[in-house]
Amino acid sequence: MSSERTLAGLAAALLLLPAVAQGQSVRERVTQTVEPPAGAAAASEGTPDLARVGELIFAGTNAFRKQEDRPELRRNDRLTETAKDFALFMARTDKYGHTADGKEPWERAAAHGYDYCIILENIAYQFSSAGFGSEQLATGFVQGWKDSPGHRKNMLDPDVSELGVGVAHGTKSGRYYAVQVFGRPKSDEIAFKVTNETEATVKYSIDGKEYSIQPRYTITHTQCRPPELRFEQPKGDEPAAQEGVLRPKAGAHYVIRTGEDGRFTVATR
């Protein structure tokens, strides 16, 4: 077995409120405890600058998003502290997994004061007895995530806007751990209203989930991701042209009325 061999571990979770699993399970409870053989720590030659590695991971992630026509992510200090603390925990204990510390990723972000709407997390580790340079280590993490469908999806998620990165070294095992925490703050949630001014109960759907609203009622919906809104016409008629698929923005207010032909019309207030 070559002394140059690199071991890497990857895991990803997609988390939002309410929690929804995408790809790999976000309810994973398995962790690993490592007891390395004597002399397994990385050689001192090729010792990376971990702050520099974090900067390179951040830049590499945004470069990847730009390449794939995704908006650039802002650095968030609270997400950065969340990522750093969890990387340090895994490095100190050599326990690896999204719940290695007994907490979910969104719980760690909230504990650091991040008022979230969406939280996504990527984690990984690398080991080489020859050590790593800063660019080599960062490239390994970014490329490994890009090559894994679940991690790639997190990196390219169009609805997150902020990122924190943490990197730490486990002195017992020689592993380098990296954590990416992606977020969309609660301040960016999308709240909109639906008011029914007709004399009938109206059915509609948001992202495929069905709702109904009674006459003269108003319902306020709050979404973390840009929603698709559809109204159902009476007797199963096709939606009117002005309805179709609506994509509400924050503060939008849709009013349902009855037209002369008995069909529903939807206006914005």
Side-chain angles (χ1 to χ4, degrees), residues 5-251:
R5 183 179 178 183
T6 297
L7 303 178
L10 300 172
L14 172 57
L15 314 171
L16 54 152
L17 187 62
V20 176
Q22 297 285 344
Q24 298 158 339
S25 172
V26 305
R27 295 301 179 186
E28 173 188 356
R29 294 289 180 183
V30 177
T31 62
Q32 302 173 20
T33 302
V34 180
E35 297 181 9
S44 59
E45 63 181 36
T47 301
D49 178 342
L50 298 189
R52 174 66 175 156
V53 174
E55 292 289 339
L56 291 170
I57 290 173
F58 189 94
T61 300
N62 265 335
F64 182 41
R65 287 177 65 89
K66 182 177 181 180
Q67 172 188 320
E68 299 295 324
D69 295 322
R70 300 296 194 276
E72 182 177 355
L73 300 175
R74 303 185 299 270
R75 191 185 315 276
N76 181 277
D77 290 342
R78 290 175 177 174
L79 292 182
T80 298
E81 290 305 311
T82 301
K84 285 182 176 179
D85 281 0
F86 191 45
L88 285 168
F89 172 86
M90 290 192 289
R92 183 174 66 253
T93 64
D94 282 313
K95 292 182 178 181
Y96 178 73
H98 290 290
T99 57
D101 62 351
K103 298 177 182 178
E104 300 286 357
W106 63 86
E107 293 177 307
R108 291 191 288 270
H112 282 82
Y114 189 77
D115 196 9
Y116 68 89
C117 200
I118 299 174
I119 289 291
L120 316 176
E121 182 182 87
N122 283 347
I123 62 175
Y125 69 80
Q126 293 187 77
F127 169 81
S128 172
S129 60
F132 295 94
S134 298
E135 292 191 8
Q136 178 190 11
L137 185 61
T139 299
F141 283 129
V142 172
Q143 191 62 49
W145 285 323
K146 287 167 65 173
D147 291 342
S148 169
H151 305 83
R152 181 186 182 95
K153 185 174 183 177
N154 284 353
M155 293 175 78
L156 296 178
D157 191 292
D159 300 324
V160 297
S161 56
E162 299 177 328
L163 173 64
V165 177
V167 184
H169 180 229
T171 56
K172 291 186 294 183
S173 67
R175 287 179 172 183
Y176 288 91
Y177 292 89
V179 179
Q180 291 179 308
V181 184
F182 303 85
R184 180 187 180 99
K186 187 173 176 59
S187 59
D188 287 349
E189 67 186 6
I190 300 168
F192 62 96
K193 294 181 179 182
V194 176
T195 295
N196 182 5
E197 293 187 353
T198 77
E199 299 302 323
T201 296
V202 177
K203 295 181 179 179
Y204 60 99
S205 66
I206 300 173
D207 294 333
K209 184 177 180 179
E210 294 184 352
Y211 298 86
S212 61
I213 182 170
Q214 297 179 35
R216 308 303 170 184
Y217 273 70
T218 295
I219 298 177
T220 299
H221 293 275
T222 302
Q223 305 285 125
C224 288
R225 297 179 181 274
E228 290 189 353
L229 171 64
R230 294 175 183 265
F231 289 92
E232 182 178 315
Q233 288 290 344
K235 300 179 182 179
D237 292 344
E238 289 296 319
Q242 69 264 36
E243 291 110 75
V245 178
L246 301 171
R247 293 177 170 81
K249 297 186 181 298

